[in-house]
Amino acid sequence: ILVRGRGAMCNADCESDRVAVSMIIEKNARAALAALGVKPIGRYEAIFLRQMYLQKYSKLKDYPEE
């Protein structure tokens, strides 16, 4: 099941089947992005951008809009 704003949710009878379904969903998502011409960013760039995001929005949390 695809849930807007949450991602994919999957279930199966056993853990190994859940892992397999999860892997298939991940591969399909990557294939869809590749078909659109989207290029993934590198691991270190992703970590850096995540830290910048957390730092910026944690500051905004301290000063709520009025």
Side-chain angles (χ1 to χ4, degrees):
I1 299 172
L2 292 176
V3 180
R4 185 183 308 262
R6 301 288 288 178
M9 297 175 61
C10 58
N11 196 9
D13 292 333
C14 65
E15 181 66 22
S16 62
D17 286 348
R18 285 189 285 273
V19 170
V21 170
S22 175
M23 290 170 60
I24 291 168
I25 291 170
E26 177 77 22
K27 287 180 182 180
N28 283 336
R30 289 179 185 268
L33 290 174
L36 294 171
V38 176
K39 295 181 181 180
I41 61 174
R43 175 182 167 88
Y44 295 109
E45 185 177 2
I47 292 169
F48 172 75
L49 291 173
R50 172 76 175 150
Q51 291 303 314
M52 295 300 292
Y53 171 85
L54 292 174
Q55 190 175 39
K56 177 180 178 181
Y57 287 101
S58 67
K59 289 178 183 176
L60 291 177
K61 185 176 66 174
D62 293 336
Y63 303 102
E65 293 182 27
E66 295 179 19

